[in-house]
Amino acid sequence: MLGLQSYGSSSEGESDHEEATTAEAPVPAHLQPVDKTHSLSTQIAICAAPAVVPMGAAAVPRTLDPTLKEVTYNPRFEEMYTPVKGPEHPDMTMQQRAPRNTLAGYVEKAHINAFEFENQRRTFHTYGYALDPSVDEQADGKSYVGDLQSAYDDNGKTVFEAPKPKKMRKQEKNDNPEDIEGFLGPWGRFENEVTVAKPNKQERAELDELLSKRHKRGRIPEDKPLEEKSTLHIKDQYDYQGRSYLHAPHDLGVNLRSNAPPPKCFLPKAHIHTWTGHNKGISSIRWFPKTAHLLLSGSMDCRVKLWEVYGERRCIRTFSGHRQAIKDIAWNNKGTNFLSASYDRYIKLWDAETGDVVSRFTTRKMPFCVKFHPDNSKQHLFVAGTSDKKIICWDTRSGDIVQEYDRHLGSVSTITFVDDNRRFVTTSDDKSMRIWEWDIPVDMKYIADPTMHSMPAVTLAPNGKWMACQSLDNKIVIFSALNRFKMNRKKTFTGHMVSGYACQLDFSPDMSYLVSGDGDGKCYIWDWKTTKMYKKWQAHDGVCISALWHPHEASKVVTAGWDGQIKYWD
């Protein structure tokens, strides 16, 4: 209504003429007072629409958000220090209610003179003391941090005020750059400086005691040299032509010198022989190279035995020379020598005919697998996987280590030569597989998968194209042994229980079957093409640690167990 009343009125700066014309103009009808005869105000006492427009300026208080960083107007003191309003959390502590601008609390910005700051910093680094920044200087100018004694002696003088310099030790100087041998520069030592700190008598005694304990802890106790001997159990060591038992017989009805496998292999059905003689469980068995007319077995009774496979199937010779259980054994290509790796940390090279120890090798670590290089030109080299994550190559002629392959993160379990012996594959307790080029100590391929388990036994297929790996998740997994070394996901053999045991597995000579032992003493045979389990039977009382198929027989399998027996099946 006030706005309507002032509507049409002129400003103060208009001329008098305009004011006169405005006064003489007639009042509009809608602004003329209402005739009382037509008004209802005399009859109604309550005003339904009171005037609500304030006559003065609006006194509406403005609020500020406490989190604001910038304000676009000049607020009043009352606005800036108005208490924060709104609902309050009932469970907040006093510390949580307190205003804060950092995670730890409320930090107020303080101004400090740049010159004063630098002055105190340099004083502290030069003389070791400075004014205490946590104390107000106006209240107390005698509070220091650092070397208090020096501060009080110098009366708190700063670098800028330059107290008397302390006596510096004299330093040997030679700044002549032409003197190449005697040039010292800023690195000259101080006069009378002792460069070697010698321990006193008490410290020397403590050091000697500590070193002797460490040496005693790391040293392997050397017992008296163990007698290395072999016992011959047969009378006819040589035949009528002077040939030893290492010579393969001809009169067996089987051509043991043939390179061709049997035309078709069959499942073994009956138990035909048991070799007994070991007092404890057997850890490894190996056929004689190529002919397989002899069988070598290493046992936990620290002995290695050589057995006949044909004829009377006698025990030919026993080799004794280790203090602890045998872990692995390996023939050379000709079958004249073999290696035995034992938990006594020694690898020994034996002469299979005379029974003598040719040489001994050790790195003070346990060897878990040994393998001669398969090439005929490299029969003087062998590799061993040890407990300290290394694969070590020895030369049997000199007894020296010629190469070390140190990339695994766990003890090395197996070594398998592939690709015409140019490469070899190793598996380890670190659940990985690594492929190496021969004599190059950096792995060319690293295979590790979250689904992979440790593979403590690996066998190469007769055709050299596949590797069968005994995985500790109760599976046999197949890897390609050619370029890519890829896992064949379609071929997985299951059904046996090998968790925790390094059960050696083998192929049939014609690659139609796969045979393996398991932790319950059973022997399993699967079909290679379909991965179907064809047969299983109870072979041993304890663990069936190894199963090998005869390379020249169609249906003969040998198994070895922790019951100390070696059984022959046909």
Side-chain angles (χ1 to χ4, degrees):
M1 296 298 290
L2 293 173
L4 287 174
Q5 286 180 3
S6 63
Y7 180 77
S9 64
S10 61
S11 62
E12 294 177 3
E14 292 180 348
S15 63
D16 297 334
H17 175 73
E18 289 176 349
E19 288 178 358
T21 55
T22 306
E24 293 174 0
V27 180
H30 66 279
L31 294 178
Q32 291 180 3
V34 182
D35 190 2
K36 293 184 178 181
T37 57
H38 302 292
S39 175
L40 297 175
S41 60
T42 56
Q43 300 175 10
I44 301 172
I46 299 172
C47 182
V52 293
V53 178
M55 298 300 291
V60 179
R62 289 177 292 191
T63 57
L64 282 176
D65 187 355
T67 60
L68 277 178
K69 302 293 182 185
E70 183 178 351
V71 182
T72 56
Y73 65 95
N74 191 12
R76 296 169 62 88
F77 176 84
E78 292 83 3
E79 295 175 12
M80 293 189 67
Y81 289 92
T82 303
V84 178
K85 295 183 179 179
E88 199 174 49
H89 198 290
D91 298 327
M92 289 177 70
T93 62
M94 291 295 292
Q95 185 178 4
Q96 291 172 331
R97 286 196 189 97
R100 54 181 177 177
N101 57 3
T102 65
L103 189 64
Y106 190 84
V107 177
E108 290 184 355
K109 288 186 178 179
H111 174 71
I112 184 169
N113 191 341
F115 168 76
E116 191 63 32
F117 177 82
E118 190 65 17
N119 188 18
Q120 294 297 329
R121 186 185 70 82
R122 291 190 180 185
T123 303
F124 185 80
H125 281 283
T126 306
Y127 303 122
Y129 62 86
L131 283 174
D132 190 351
S134 63
V135 178
D136 190 0
E137 190 175 353
Q138 295 177 355
D140 184 8
K142 299 294 183 182
S143 295
Y144 300 100
V145 291
D147 189 356
L148 301 180
Q149 188 61 44
S150 299
Y152 294 131
D153 291 345
D154 295 340
N155 201 19
K157 290 185 178 181
T158 62
V159 174
F160 187 71
E161 295 164 344
K164 293 180 181 179
K166 297 179 180 178
K167 292 182 180 180
M168 302 292 290
R169 288 190 293 173
K170 288 186 179 181
Q171 194 175 8
E172 296 179 5
K173 288 188 177 181
N174 184 1
D175 297 332
N176 182 14
E178 295 179 357
D179 185 6
I180 297 175
E181 297 294 332
F183 178 77
L184 296 175
W187 301 285
R189 64 179 184 175
F190 297 105
E191 290 183 358
N192 304 323
E193 181 184 358
V194 180
T195 56
V196 179
K198 294 183 179 179
N200 55 32
K201 290 184 179 179
Q202 183 179 357
E203 291 173 341
R204 170 55 62 188
E206 291 175 359
L207 281 173
D208 289 343
E209 185 180 357
L210 181 66
L211 288 172
S212 64
K213 283 182 180 178
R214 284 185 183 173
H215 186 64
K216 190 175 181 180
R217 190 187 312 142
R219 188 176 64 228
I220 300 167
E222 288 289 343
D223 298 326
K224 295 177 183 177
L226 185 68
E227 182 185 3
E228 296 162 338
K229 62 179 182 179
S230 68
T231 307
L232 185 68
H233 300 290
I234 58 174
K235 295 179 181 178
D236 48 344
Q237 182 178 359
Y238 301 100
D239 62 5
Y240 67 99
Q241 290 185 345
R243 298 174 298 193
S244 71
Y245 49 78
L246 299 181
H247 183 267
H250 291 273
D251 54 345
L252 300 173
V254 179
N255 184 7
L256 298 180
R257 291 165 181 78
S258 171
N259 292 325
K264 183 171 174 57
C265 290
F266 305 95
L267 300 177
K269 296 180 179 178
H271 173 219
I272 56 174
H273 187 72
T274 301
W275 286 282
T276 56
H278 285 295
N279 300 330
K280 293 184 179 178
I282 292 164
S283 54
S284 182
I285 54 174
R286 294 285 183 269
W287 292 118
F288 190 85
K290 294 183 181 177
T291 59
H293 69 287
L294 299 175
L295 183 68
L296 191 70
S297 65
S299 170
M300 298 175 194
D301 61 4
C302 316
R303 294 180 296 173
V304 180
K305 286 181 179 285
L306 188 64
W307 313 85
E308 282 181 335
V309 177
Y310 294 96
E312 300 177 24
R313 300 191 175 110
R314 300 167 292 179
C315 176
I316 298 174
R317 192 183 279 275
T318 300
F319 306 85
S320 304
H322 284 287
R323 293 188 180 279
Q324 295 186 32
I326 308 292
K327 180 64 177 75
D328 197 17
I329 48 179
W331 287 101
N332 67 351
N333 280 2
K334 292 182 179 179
T336 54
N337 300 98
F338 68 88
L339 291 164
S340 62
S342 168
Y343 286 106
D344 63 3
R345 298 176 172 85
Y346 275 92
I347 300 171
K348 296 192 178 183
L349 180 65
W350 301 80
D351 188 310
E353 186 174 338
T354 63
D356 298 331
V357 174
V358 180
S359 49
R360 303 157 195 82
F361 311 91
T362 182
T363 58
R364 300 294 182 194
K365 302 294 178 185
M366 289 183 191
F368 286 157
C369 54
V370 286
K371 200 59 101 42
F372 272 103
H373 193 288
D375 279 356
N376 289 323
S377 60
K378 296 187 176 72
Q379 284 296 286
H380 57 280
L381 300 174
F382 74 90
V383 283
T386 59
S387 59
D388 64 342
K389 314 166 192 173
K390 293 180 183 177
I391 302 127
I392 296 172
C393 179
W394 268 285
D395 191 330
T396 57
R397 298 172 300 187
S398 62
D400 297 333
I401 296 173
V402 295
Q403 187 62 276
E404 279 190 10
Y405 306 85
D406 185 10
R407 301 278 286 180
H408 272 294
L409 304 175
S411 56
V412 181
S413 304
T414 67
I415 301 171
T416 310
F417 283 87
V418 296
D419 194 12
D420 294 330
N421 309 324
R422 291 193 294 266
R423 299 171 181 166
F424 63 95
V425 180
T426 58
T427 61
S428 165
D429 285 352
D430 61 9
K431 302 180 182 178
S432 72
M433 176 185 284
R434 292 179 193 258
I435 293 91
W436 314 75
E437 295 276 357
W438 176 253
D439 213 21
I440 297 176
V442 180
D443 46 334
M444 59 162 283
K445 193 174 180 74
Y446 170 67
I447 301 171
D449 190 82
T451 61
M452 281 175 61
H453 286 66
S454 181
M455 297 180 289
V458 177
T459 299
L460 185 67
N463 61 7
K465 293 182 180 179
W466 304 99
M467 291 184 299
C469 307
Q470 191 79 264
S471 180
L472 287 189
D473 57 345
N474 300 328
K475 292 179 184 175
I476 297 174
V477 292
I478 307 298
F479 283 86
S480 168
L482 299 178
N483 293 329
R484 295 188 62 192
F485 297 93
K486 189 179 179 183
M487 183 191 292
N488 189 341
R489 304 271 178 189
K490 295 180 180 178
K491 275 199 191 299
T492 303
F493 301 86
T494 58
H496 59 323
M497 198 286 294
V498 290
S499 182
Y501 303 103
C503 295
Q504 187 67 37
L505 64 161
D506 198 14
F507 289 88
S508 64
D510 65 346
M511 271 201 67
S512 57
Y513 301 111
L514 188 66
V515 60
S516 169
D518 86 333
D520 295 329
K522 297 187 180 70
C523 187
Y524 292 78
I525 296 180
W526 294 269
D527 181 54
W528 167 251
K529 288 184 179 178
T530 63
T531 70
K532 182 182 177 183
M533 187 195 298
Y534 271 2
K535 187 168 185 175
K536 70 171 181 177
W537 71 93
Q538 189 71 36
H540 294 272
D541 294 335
V543 180
C544 181
I545 200 66
S546 185
L548 299 178
W549 204 298
H550 198 287
H552 300 290
E553 300 279 0
S555 61
K556 290 187 177 176
V557 174
V558 64
T559 60
W562 281 8
D563 55 2
Q565 295 182 344
I566 304 169
K567 294 186 179 181
Y568 203 26
W569 310 83
D570 188 7

